[in-house]
Amino acid sequence: MDANQTKFHLLLGKADWAGSLEDDRAFGNQTLDEIWAQETKLASPPNAQKSSFYWNSGDDEISLQKRLFQFIAAKSDNPPKLENRRGAARDRYGNWYWIDETNLKIRVLSVGSNRVSDFYPVKTDDCQAEIFGGFRAVAGAPLSIDTPLRGLCVTVDHYLVVGTLEPAGLLVFDLFATGEPRRILWNSAIEFAPFDIAARHCGGAFVLDRQNRRYWTLDRYFNLFENSKSAANEVGFDVFQSVNPDDEQRFSNTTAPTNFAAGFALPLNDPIAIEALPDDTVLILDHQPEEKFAVIYRYDGERQLDQLQTETFKFLVEENQREDFKLIGYDLAFVAAEAEKQTLDRIYLASATGNQTYAFNLLCGELVDADSPPQADGLRHIRLEPVAEYLPMRLFGGKGLVAAENAVYYDFGERWLKLIEQRRPRFALGGTLLTRSFDGREPNCVWHRLLVDGCIPPETSVEAWSRTAETKEDLQLATWQREPAFYLRNNGSEIPFAETKKKSIGNSSSDGTGTWELLLQRAKGRWLQLKLVFTGNGQKSPSLQALRIYYPRFSYLKNYLPAIYREDEMSAFFLERFLANLEGFYTSIEDRIAAAQMLFDVRSAPAETLEWLASWFGVVLDPAWDESKRRLFIRHALDFFQYRGTLRGLRTALRLALDSCADERIFESTGNRRQLEHIRIVEKYLTRRVFDEIVFNPDELTVPQNKNEATRWRPEQGSGALHALYQEFLIARAKSPEEKQSIANQTIKFPLSPPQDADEFSNWQQFTLQELGFVPSNAARTERLRWQAYLAAHHSGYFADTGLPRDLPTDETRRGDWHQFIQTTIDERESWTRKTWQDFLARRYQRVGKLNEIYATHWISFDEISLFDELPAATVQLGDWYQFESVVLASHRTAHRFTVFVPLPLDVASAEKQRERMGLVERIVNLEKPAHTVFDVKFYWNLFRIGEARLEMDTLLGLGGRDPQLNPNFVLGQSYVGESSLGTLETISDRAAFGRKTLPL
């Protein structure tokens, strides 16, 4: 109800509109729902009357029934002949293949050069002509084919399959490879004459034998499918035979009862076309030129599932043309539905005249008939719904219709043109609709106004008639009264903050789109019924989406003016209607004020107010986000800002930007399910000892850890044990017995600083990783060299053997030198390591006196303590050094650093899309990360991996290496040979391109 407590009845959606009656004597008292249901019945009468109204599911609106624009062929036109349908197909990269007029060659239109040439066979002389890139034919190519060809298709595995007549069989070309085709011959005892071939959606092909009226099913390995029952096997021979009698390779055998002939028998008049459906059933077009309408049969093996009539198309033709209308089929093509565009499966039927193609929506399941039960194996019945789209063909050559990439193509000479709808809208001229009865809930109810949302284009109209009564039974006897004409509201819908309907042809009021309104004149009574008269001009039709009728009228005359203004009946009637204009203006404003609270709730706020709502948080929404993602972010904005700068917040921001289906789970706490997140953030400090990151980034680890941590050297064993282990390690690594003996006779200590010699350094590094688990810092060695250089610069003498002081020097001069040195050290890395060591000792011992007592030293403060440049002998000092090097320094080196691992979907496999995705991730992380951190971004394949196979929701199950998604177009300098293919030639107009024109060789 509105601000004045005025309520309204609503018609919205198919269920409400379908409850209306069509005012036509041919239908009696049938509702639109009953009429439309009869049209969708599988066994509907062929001559059933078609409703004048049509429900557009895409826009959820009712309009006049669509009519088909017909191409009237000239008497001199020559229709295509079935002999011209030798076979044609297109591969996944855009190359076209067909059998030429001689039936002895396969021709190809190459997408790269846009040239037509012989695909097979290829003469050697022709290959020496002008060819791009200098490619030549493979040696030993045949000069001719000794058998007529008929039927051709390209399978989903990228094989070209061509039928042969004498001898009967197939040629199978591997389009990913070169060389001779694989030849498959049918056994001569089985009659086989291929006419049409269709690729199965699961791999393999269906082969139609027109002459013998049967079809065959081949699996993806071109073996006879198990259900293809053949009686020939009972007499002891194979369905297939090898090309070479000496060849021992045999194809699959099948067994069958004796009452089955070879293949699947088709009890039809003349089957001329076969098409595969996604459920592995087939559609077969039966050629009956003596009939007016083609019939399409659906088969599952030998079982006939449906008989699809095309006669229903005549109801889309103008009434004066229906008697002469014919639809004789020539070829058919199937195009699967597109989920993104919310389309339906379609069948395209080329007419025998060769001038026009007719489209049918293929409906299945409940869309066909809710009363029809499924088959025993779960297969549902299907039916054809005619679509009033004008699809002309110009100079159709008759090679056939080819479906490729959700489109249909037909041949034009040696070129292939896309079948495109030409906008020639046609509609029924008119129709009358009777709504259901509306209850005003009170006696003598004064009905207020009528509003409809939709489009009433110029030269069309919608007339409104009403009748009222005090009882529902008397309503049928009441007289219809015509109401005023609708007018288009200039301020949109009266519903507060309602979205404005947008049409594809424009959003201006000149096309009649918007909310139309009229003020009811003498509609007074408890019950009311409306009659809507639709009138079109044949090319345009009104279309209504919603209807609202308000009641009872809030009278400004009764509520705001004295009674004297109501004394004269005629004057009061005029004044009542005059003030209703002001009421409609002010009520709309009052409704928006009363409904202002909906602007503050993201669930009800209109889409155009979301930017304003987000500005309350100081946020500018990403223009690339759709409406659902915007609402999701605003609803969880507080959660997002609460975790900003944390791992959870960073992961949430990335998923908001990258997930194609963002939902509430993005903001949920993952808890122990962190390993299931497809966006992985690895903090570097977690990899200081356990190399978790090797799972994602193997190049981070240079030397493997070969020793168990439990068997490594520990500080409790003392420095002597480490020295002994190091000497044993060097002995084991020695290359000769003399070298081993030399090392054994020496007293070797493990150095904290790496040796300068390359071989010695390699041994030292491997030993440290094996026994310590880390590589000691080189800071002590560098600081010792600087200390020696300092002494040499300030004192005379040789200080090469002077190490860093283990205790505060007792000599006054040397003590001053040390104080001066530690205050003037300019190397930040070494001074940082010493400062970190001093802080570590300060936190552990709190007081320098306690440290001196344990270390037996005399340091005055922690700031004077030096690094160990040699392995300390005392166990306590050894333990502090070990913990500092293995834990503290390792944590500091990796602190505030992290790596973001982002999955690489197949739709961003190209280098350009990878760079775009990488840039997006980097921008998001820069905005959301803590200011003091450093990061890098890396991709990883979120699919099967050798050694780490994960079977999850994001696992790809496809066609293996032949899957088209794994072979993107090749880009020079960005792609790799072996995982890309040559893409479509693009027109280059702003620069010269070498090799794009024919050049003499």
Side-chain angles (χ1 to χ4, degrees):
M1 61 180 65
D2 59 20
N4 296 323
Q5 309 303 312
T6 302
K7 301 177 285 294
F8 64 83
H9 287 286
L10 174 68
L11 295 184
L12 178 66
K14 183 178 181 180
D16 289 346
W17 286 102
S20 304
L21 302 174
E22 184 165 355
D23 191 11
D24 193 314
R25 296 180 181 178
F27 297 110
N29 292 324
Q30 286 184 306
T31 64
L32 288 178
D33 192 19
E34 295 171 341
I35 299 172
W36 290 339
Q38 184 179 3
E39 295 173 1
T40 60
K41 291 286 185 180
L42 290 172
S44 59
N47 297 319
Q49 183 68 23
K50 192 77 170 180
S51 171
S52 299
F53 294 94
Y54 168 77
W55 180 256
N56 187 346
S57 301
D59 293 328
D60 287 332
E61 59 187 16
I62 189 172
S63 64
L64 291 173
Q65 184 63 252
K66 290 185 176 182
R67 296 286 187 252
L68 178 68
F69 181 86
Q70 271 194 284
F71 184 93
I72 306 300
K75 295 183 179 180
S76 59
D77 281 357
N78 294 320
K81 300 179 180 179
L82 285 175
E83 290 74 16
N84 296 338
R85 275 194 46 219
R86 293 172 292 274
R90 195 183 86 157
D91 66 17
R92 65 179 62 160
Y93 302 115
N95 302 301
W96 288 93
Y97 308 88
W98 67 91
I99 302 172
D100 73 347
E101 293 78 2
T102 66
N103 285 5
L104 297 176
K105 289 184 180 180
I106 303 172
R107 302 278 283 173
V108 60
L109 172 60
S110 300
V111 66
S113 62
N114 200 28
R115 295 175 56 188
V116 177
S117 59
D118 291 344
F119 176 78
Y120 189 86
V122 180
K123 293 183 179 181
T124 306
D125 295 340
D126 294 342
C127 294
Q128 306 301 327
E130 302 169 358
I131 300 179
F132 296 102
F135 290 98
R136 296 293 182 267
V138 178
L143 299 180
S144 65
I145 296 179
D146 56 355
T147 176
L149 306 177
R150 177 71 72 173
L152 182 150
C153 80
V154 176
T155 70
V156 296
D157 294 319
H158 210 50
Y159 288 101
L160 175 64
V161 183
V162 184
T164 62
L165 296 179
E166 298 175 2
L170 299 174
L171 293 178
V172 180
F173 298 83
D174 187 347
L175 297 181
F176 278 144
T178 59
E180 286 295 295
R182 171 185 173 186
R183 173 169 285 190
I184 303 175
L185 294 185
W186 254 246
N187 197 296
S188 58
I190 299 178
E191 294 184 355
F192 177 68
F195 181 79
D196 192 17
I197 305 177
R200 295 174 64 199
H201 290 259
C202 56
F206 294 107
V207 184
L208 175 65
D209 184 348
R210 177 190 180 191
Q211 178 179 333
N212 300 296
R213 287 184 289 185
R214 59 173 61 95
Y215 78 95
W216 303 74
T217 304
L218 301 177
D219 64 13
R220 65 187 309 172
Y221 304 107
F222 302 102
N223 297 318
L224 195 64
F225 197 65
E226 293 180 358
N227 291 336
S228 293
K229 304 177 176 64
S230 172
N233 293 289
E234 293 216 344
V235 296
F237 55 81
D238 298 334
V239 176
F240 295 137
Q241 66 181 13
S242 178
V243 176
N244 186 354
D246 298 331
D247 187 1
E248 296 182 356
Q249 179 183 3
R250 309 296 287 179
F251 299 100
S252 298
N253 297 330
T254 56
T255 58
T258 57
N259 58 343
F260 282 93
F264 295 128
L266 299 172
L268 306 179
N269 180 62
D270 186 10
I272 60 173
I274 188 169
E275 194 67 25
L277 295 182
D279 61 355
D280 213 32
T281 60
V282 296
L283 297 178
I284 298 178
L285 174 63
D286 193 18
H287 185 57
Q288 301 180 13
E290 68 280 358
E291 300 292 337
K292 295 181 63 176
F293 298 96
V295 181
I296 302 173
Y297 295 88
R298 178 178 174 229
Y299 277 87
D300 176 34
E302 73 280 353
R303 181 178 47 156
Q304 184 184 115
L305 298 177
D306 298 292
Q307 180 177 338
L308 307 175
Q309 302 288 341
T310 61
E311 186 177 356
T312 54
F313 225 110
K314 73 178 183 180
F315 295 111
L316 298 185
V317 180
E318 299 294 342
E319 294 184 7
N320 57 355
Q321 300 177 357
R322 291 180 183 176
E323 190 66 28
D324 299 328
F325 177 70
K326 293 183 179 181
L327 180 52
I328 301 175
Y330 179 82
D331 195 11
L332 76 161
F334 169 78
V335 176
E338 295 183 73
E340 298 80 6
K341 299 182 180 179
Q342 297 181 346
T343 59
L344 297 173
D345 293 337
R346 279 201 174 182
I347 293 293
Y348 292 85
L349 181 65
S351 66
T353 61
N355 294 315
Q356 189 169 353
T357 296
Y358 299 87
F360 297 86
N361 285 331
L362 196 153
L363 306 182
C364 63
E366 286 72 15
L367 295 176
V368 175
D369 188 358
D371 299 330
S372 62
Q375 302 289 329
D377 51 7
L379 294 174
R380 302 299 299 262
H381 289 290
I382 65 173
R383 75 172 184 88
L384 299 181
E385 178 188 55
V387 180
E389 291 185 358
Y390 177 50
L391 301 169
M393 295 186 293
R394 182 174 182 270
L395 300 180
F396 178 39
K399 295 183 179 68
L401 296 182
V402 178
E405 294 185 349
N406 296 315
V408 178
Y409 297 81
Y410 67 95
D411 62 295
F412 176 80
E414 289 193 326
R415 293 289 185 261
W416 292 84
L417 304 181
K418 187 176 181 179
L419 200 63
I420 299 178
E421 177 191 4
Q422 302 294 320
R423 290 192 58 83
R424 299 289 191 275
R426 293 293 184 271
F427 297 91
L429 295 177
T432 302
L433 199 66
L434 303 181
T435 67
R436 58 181 172 85
S437 302
F438 301 108
D439 186 1
R441 309 288 179 87
E442 62 182 38
N444 295 320
C445 174
V446 179
W447 297 85
H448 183 24
R449 52 180 173 166
L450 177 65
L451 297 101
V452 292
D453 296 332
C455 179
I456 306 179
E459 302 180 16
T460 67
S461 64
V462 176
E463 295 180 2
W465 296 68
S466 66
R467 60 183 179 184
T468 55
E470 289 301 320
T471 63
K472 191 174 183 180
E473 292 74 15
D474 295 339
L475 190 62
Q476 305 299 324
L477 304 176
T479 304
W480 289 103
Q481 301 183 57
R482 182 170 179 177
E483 299 295 344
F486 283 100
Y487 74 93
L488 182 63
R489 291 171 58 95
N490 58 4
N491 56 350
S493 174
E494 86 289 359
I495 303 297
F497 308 110
E499 294 185 3
T500 303
K501 181 182 178 183
K502 297 180 180 179
K503 299 284 283 187
S504 58
I505 59 176
N507 197 28
S508 62
S509 58
S510 60
D511 66 352
T513 302
T515 300
W516 295 75
E517 180 180 14
L518 65 82
L519 183 70
L520 298 173
Q521 299 295 304
R522 299 182 182 276
K524 185 176 182 180
R526 175 172 177 175
W527 291 90
L528 175 138
Q529 188 179 22
L530 294 175
K531 178 170 67 173
L532 302 177
V533 181
F534 288 65
T535 304
N537 64 354
Q539 298 181 353
K540 299 178 183 178
S541 167
S543 56
L544 303 184
Q545 188 178 37
L547 178 146
R548 294 177 296 281
I549 179 167
Y550 282 81
Y551 71 98
R553 175 174 294 166
F554 182 81
S555 174
Y556 274 20
L557 179 63
K558 293 181 180 179
N559 289 278
Y560 297 137
L561 294 181
I564 191 174
Y565 289 94
R566 301 192 297 273
E567 291 181 354
D568 183 73
E569 183 178 355
M570 294 300 297
S571 176
F573 178 66
F574 169 78
L575 188 57
E576 174 82 14
R577 291 182 291 117
F578 177 78
L579 293 178
N581 295 318
L582 300 178
E583 184 272 338
F585 173 76
Y586 286 117
T587 300
S588 297
I589 299 176
E590 293 170 0
D591 285 344
R592 294 176 68 88
I593 296 174
Q597 71 276 2
M598 68 181 295
L599 298 177
F600 311 136
D601 193 330
V602 69
R603 296 169 297 180
S604 58
E608 59 270 16
T609 64
L610 294 180
E611 290 279 359
W612 167 77
L613 200 59
S615 66
W616 288 27
F617 300 99
V619 174
V620 178
L621 298 178
D622 191 338
W625 287 0
D626 57 15
E627 181 181 337
S628 61
K629 188 173 290 188
R630 292 181 171 212
R631 294 185 186 274
L632 176 67
F633 172 77
I634 296 175
R635 184 162 60 251
H636 295 277
L638 292 180
D639 297 331
F640 178 82
F641 289 117
Q642 177 183 0
Y643 295 102
R644 191 172 187 182
T646 64
L647 282 178
R648 177 175 173 181
L650 185 57
R651 191 178 292 111
T652 299
L654 290 172
R655 291 192 59 184
L656 270 174
L658 301 180
D659 281 12
S660 57
C661 299
D663 54 23
E664 306 284 344
R665 291 175 295 179
I666 291 179
F667 298 92
E668 294 178 357
S669 176
T670 57
N672 296 327
R673 296 185 293 109
R674 179 180 177 184
Q675 68 277 8
L676 300 180
E677 292 287 344
H678 59 277
I679 296 177
R680 292 157 182 156
I681 302 175
V682 178
E683 297 176 271
K684 293 290 186 180
Y685 82 93
L686 294 175
T687 65
R688 65 186 186 272
R689 295 184 66 184
V690 288
F691 294 85
D692 294 337
E693 194 178 355
I694 190 175
V695 175
F696 309 106
N697 194 23
D699 57 343
E700 292 289 331
L701 188 62
T702 57
V703 181
Q705 302 178 74
N706 299 321
K707 198 167 185 180
N708 192 333
E709 186 174 357
T711 62
R712 290 175 182 162
W713 172 84
R714 302 296 299 174
E716 295 80 8
Q717 298 173 300
S719 58
L722 186 59
H723 295 322
L725 290 173
Y726 184 59
Q727 187 169 9
E728 292 175 4
F729 178 81
L730 295 179
I731 293 174
R733 300 282 293 181
K735 299 179 180 179
S736 64
E738 293 78 8
E739 186 180 355
K740 291 183 179 182
Q741 186 63 37
S742 176
I743 296 174
N745 294 335
Q746 300 177 30
T747 301
I748 297 178
K749 293 185 177 182
F750 172 72
L752 293 185
S753 301
Q756 298 299 311
D757 183 75
D759 293 337
E760 294 180 6
F761 172 78
S762 177
N763 292 335
W764 176 85
Q765 186 182 43
Q766 186 171 357
F767 175 79
T768 57
L769 289 174
Q770 177 176 310
E771 293 296 339
L772 300 179
F774 61 89
V775 178
S777 171
N778 197 29
R781 177 179 179 274
T782 304
E783 187 158 310
R784 182 181 62 190
L785 295 176
R786 292 184 179 275
W787 168 241
Q788 294 170 355
Y790 177 87
L791 294 178
H794 292 78
H795 303 280
S796 60
Y798 184 72
F799 300 96
D801 297 331
T802 304
L804 295 175
R806 298 292 184 90
D807 193 1
L808 188 65
T810 57
D811 181 79
E812 192 71 25
T813 302
R814 189 60 56 86
R815 186 187 305 171
D817 289 336
W818 176 249
H819 283 293
Q820 184 67 20
F821 171 74
I822 62 177
Q823 293 175 5
T824 58
T825 302
I826 59 175
D827 188 277
E828 295 182 359
R829 180 171 180 81
E830 276 64 41
S831 62
W832 173 83
T833 306
R834 177 174 12 96
K835 182 61 178 174
T836 306
W837 166 249
Q838 294 167 351
D839 292 341
F840 168 73
L841 294 177
R843 288 193 301 271
R844 167 157 292 193
Y845 296 103
Q846 303 296 323
R847 293 180 296 103
V848 69
K850 183 177 181 181
L851 180 138
N852 290 330
E853 181 181 349
I854 296 175
Y855 273 33
T857 56
H858 304 82
W859 300 109
I860 298 176
S861 66
F862 287 104
D863 295 336
E864 298 176 341
I865 302 175
S866 65
L867 295 168
F868 289 130
D869 57 351
E870 292 181 0
L871 199 66
T875 304
V876 177
Q877 298 178 9
L878 193 61
D880 289 345
W881 169 84
Y882 182 83
Q883 187 172 5
F884 174 74
E885 291 281 355
S886 62
V887 178
V888 178
L889 280 186
S891 299
H892 274 284
R893 291 192 191 102
T894 57
H896 315 302
R897 287 173 171 81
F898 62 93
T899 302
V900 180
F901 292 97
V902 182
L904 188 62
L906 288 175
D907 57 354
V908 292
S910 66
E912 181 179 357
K913 291 185 177 181
Q914 289 182 24
R915 288 194 298 269
E916 293 177 359
R917 195 174 184 87
M918 180 76 73
L920 175 62
V921 174
E922 289 177 349
R923 289 194 299 272
I924 294 173
V925 178
N926 269 321
L927 289 173
E928 302 300 327
K929 73 178 183 66
H932 59 280
T933 57
V934 179
F935 73 95
D936 58 347
V937 179
K938 297 180 181 179
F939 285 124
Y940 73 94
W941 285 104
N942 204 14
L943 302 173
F944 282 116
R945 299 167 57 122
I946 297 176
E948 195 205 347
R950 300 187 301 277
L951 183 58
E952 296 181 0
M953 294 179 63
D954 48 12
T955 298
L956 173 67
L957 299 177
L959 302 175
R962 308 187 75 90
D963 198 304
Q965 298 183 80
L966 299 178
N967 291 276
N969 290 340
F970 187 90
V971 179
L972 187 62
Q974 300 178 5
S975 304
Y976 295 94
V977 176
E979 64 178 34
S980 306
S981 60
L982 294 179
T984 304
L985 177 67
E986 297 181 359
T987 303
I988 301 175
S989 58
D990 59 341
R991 56 189 171 90
F994 178 77
R996 294 298 175 90
K997 296 183 179 180
T998 303
L999 299 174
L1001 300 178

